[in-house]
Amino acid sequence: MSTSIAERGTDEQQPKPRIPAEGHHRDVNGGWLRPAVFGAMDGLVSNFALMTGVVGGNVGNSAVVLTGLAGLAAGACSMAAGEYTSVASQRELVQAEIEAERLELSRNPHGELAELAELYVSRGVDPELAHEVARQLSADPEQTLAIHAREELGIDPDDLPSPTVAAASSFLCFALGALLPLLPYLLGAHSLVPALLLSLAGLFTCGAVVARVTARSWWFSGLRQLVLGGGAAGVTYLLGLLIGGHVG
């Protein structure tokens, strides 16, 4: 007997490696996360900085509120339009590359099959097995196209980002972010202090929330966003102080 009972018992007591369940990964390619994050950050930082610059110019509360509302509306529309155009252009470029690959598959199927087999060989698969795998995977034209797109272009034809989702995410999140420094004034505040405190808290919170989908710690991400957003507001406030009295 090659293995004793004691040895088998020891082996059985060893913890088995845990295989992670499928489907636990976060969605990183759905077209909504990046515009949502950037929209919220942009809305908060830009409107906070815009309003502090106006306050530095020593204007009345009505002018501050009007500036904040205009910044919210203009920024949200601009961000949505920019995201829609950007993602739509990217999607059209990807679709053009997929169509080029489809045409190449129809013109030179044997060459594309050999190319796919060679790719598997380069990853350590035995040449005969690689050719057989490529042959079987190439039986369905649509599956073949999807495999070539993933392996050669690094894209998934079935998971392209949506311009509409990106635009809507950007618009809504920018508006929510831009509303934060404006909210105290809408509720009757007559100084910058409540808006300042709420905006700084929002900056730290946004940074900390972003850390949930990145590898950074929440406090680092929160402090980084707090410093960057606070710095932007400080610069515009100083500009308001310097040039506010010389305008109009």
Side-chain angles (χ1 to χ4, degrees), residues 133-153:
V133 169
R135 187 190 66 79
Q136 293 189 28
L137 290 175
S138 300
D140 179 6
E142 289 303 314
Q143 176 179 257
T144 306
L145 177 62
I147 292 171
H148 278 269
R150 293 188 188 99
E151 297 292 349
E152 296 180 27
L153 305 176

Side-chain angles (χ1 to χ4, degrees), residues 191-223:
S191 74
L192 183 63
V193 175
L196 174 66
L197 295 176
L198 185 59
S199 297
L200 292 178
L203 286 167
F204 183 85
T205 302
C206 283
V209 168
V210 169
R212 299 287 296 177
V213 293
T214 66
R216 288 289 188 180
S217 61
W218 64 270
W219 59 266
F220 176 87
S221 189
L223 285 176

Side-chain angles (χ1 to χ4, degrees), residues 18-211:
R18 182 175 178 270
I19 301 175
E22 290 296 325
H24 70 286
H25 297 292
R26 294 183 289 259
D27 176 19
V28 295
N29 195 36
W32 65 269
L33 180 60
R34 184 184 61 85
V37 170
F38 279 104
M41 294 293 191
D42 239 6
L44 177 52
V45 173
S46 64
N47 220 30
F48 177 40
L50 181 64
M51 291 172 63
T52 53
V54 172
V55 171
N58 195 26
V59 300
N61 277 11
S62 59
V64 176
V65 172
L66 180 59
T67 299
L69 289 172
L72 186 156
C77 291
S78 176
M79 285 287 292
E83 280 296 333
Y84 186 91
T85 303
S86 173
V87 175
S89 299
Q90 178 189 5
R91 186 185 178 98
E92 289 161 4
L93 174 61
V94 167
Q95 288 173 333
E97 291 297 318
I98 291 173
E99 288 306 312
E101 188 66 29
R102 187 194 300 275
L103 184 61
E104 189 64 25
L105 283 167
S106 66
R107 287 178 173 175
N108 186 22
H110 297 294
E112 290 295 305
L113 189 150
E115 186 177 342
L116 186 61
E118 187 61 33
L119 179 66
Y120 292 139
V121 170
S122 70
R123 295 181 177 178
V125 180
D126 179 78
E128 291 185 6
L129 178 59
H131 186 274
E132 180 62 20
V133 169
R135 187 190 66 79
Q136 293 189 28
L137 290 175
S138 300
D140 179 6
E142 289 303 314
Q143 176 179 257
T144 306
L145 177 62
I147 292 171
H148 278 269
R150 293 188 188 99
E151 297 292 349
E152 296 180 27
L153 305 176
I155 56 177
D156 187 347
D158 299 322
D159 191 26
L160 299 181
S162 166
T164 303
V165 170
S169 300
S170 183
F171 182 92
L172 291 174
C173 291
F174 185 99
L176 288 174
L179 181 63
L180 205 58
L182 184 60
L183 195 58
Y185 284 96
L186 295 177
L187 295 177
H190 296 286
S191 74
L192 183 63
V193 175
L196 174 66
L197 295 176
L198 185 59
S199 297
L200 292 178
L203 286 167
F204 183 85
T205 302
C206 283
V209 168
V210 169

